[in-house]
Amino acid sequence: MVTTPTALLLHGAFTDASVWVRVTARLRHHAVPVTAPANPLGGLAADAAYISCVASRIAGPVVLVGHAYGGTVISAAGTAPNVVGLVSIAAYALAEGESVRDLERRFPSPTVAGRLGEMAHPLGTGHHPFAELARAEAAPAAAWRTRPSWMLLAGADPASSPEAVRFCARRAEATLLEIGDAAHAVPLSHPADVAELIRDAVRATT
């Protein structure tokens, strides 16, 4: 019988599963089962449904871990019956019917606005299509209401508002780790801290 949760690591919108390579090595060193599927990037509801299906096919309990946009996906996907915990890395944990854009309006940040402007696409409206979709789509579910949560705030991340992350953590009653000098790609720059937070979640849900 499988008792140690598998850590399912989900990347964000502008990376791939290689963002987890340093974290994965550390987790495996400590005998934590790990899988890092590709994020299909089809939209929040579609991606959450896919990851929920992937999680449900894993034998035993699962801790979902999401970086950036992947963090919003796991919050919606975490209603799969065998999901026992959520770890959001430099990410927002949305409520049902809430979008990233809603949080941006509530916690305006010039840094975040400027970073999103760098993602402009030269065609159409002038914005990266998926960036707009990821910000605008409302979350279909909020698994943090029924699953224990852990969150990491990257203090030097230009793509997320620290105030919004803290708000999400308080609302979810999540364990919050703040790393003041961490930028957006925190799984690569601070893999030991990220891996230890995931191990905390695995230990607490074993």
Side-chain angles (χ1 to χ4, degrees):
M1 181 178 179
V2 179
T3 57
T4 301
T6 294
L8 188 159
L9 313 180
L10 188 65
H11 64 84
F14 302 103
T15 58
D16 57 29
S18 65
V19 74
W20 297 113
V21 62
R22 297 176 183 174
V23 174
T24 298
R26 284 165 171 79
L27 293 176
R28 288 180 174 156
H29 176 75
H30 290 284
V32 176
V34 181
T35 184
N39 191 337
L41 305 181
L44 181 53
D47 295 342
Y50 172 76
I51 294 303
S52 179
C53 182
V54 172
S56 69
R57 293 180 178 179
I58 295 173
V62 173
V63 170
L64 293 182
V65 183
H67 173 238
Y69 167 71
T72 65
V73 174
I74 67 161
S75 185
T79 54
N82 61 329
V83 171
V84 295
L86 307 169
V87 183
S88 298
I89 307 296
Y92 300 141
L94 301 178
E96 308 92 330
E98 184 178 60
S99 69
V100 170
R101 185 174 292 164
D102 291 333
L103 285 178
E104 290 173 350
R105 288 169 177 161
R106 185 169 182 178
F107 301 97
S109 169
T111 303
V112 174
R115 178 67 182 122
L116 291 171
E118 293 173 14
M119 298 177 181
H121 192 282
L123 302 177
T125 62
H127 296 287
H128 190 292
F130 189 76
E132 286 299 298
L133 176 63
R135 293 170 64 213
E137 188 174 353
W144 50 262
R145 295 194 186 278
T146 56
R147 270 69 168 179
S149 299
W150 290 256
M151 298 185 72
L152 186 150
L153 190 161
D157 180 7
S160 63
S161 161
E163 291 78 13
V165 174
R166 292 187 186 103
F167 166 76
C168 290
R170 288 194 303 270
R171 181 171 62 180
E173 298 182 350
T175 299
L176 178 63
L177 171 64
E178 297 195 23
I179 304 178
D181 64 344
H184 190 61
V186 63
L188 290 173
S189 64
H190 293 74
D193 295 306
V194 173
E196 188 60 26
L197 186 64
I198 296 169
R199 289 184 65 213
D200 286 346
V202 167
R203 286 189 291 256
T205 55
T206 297

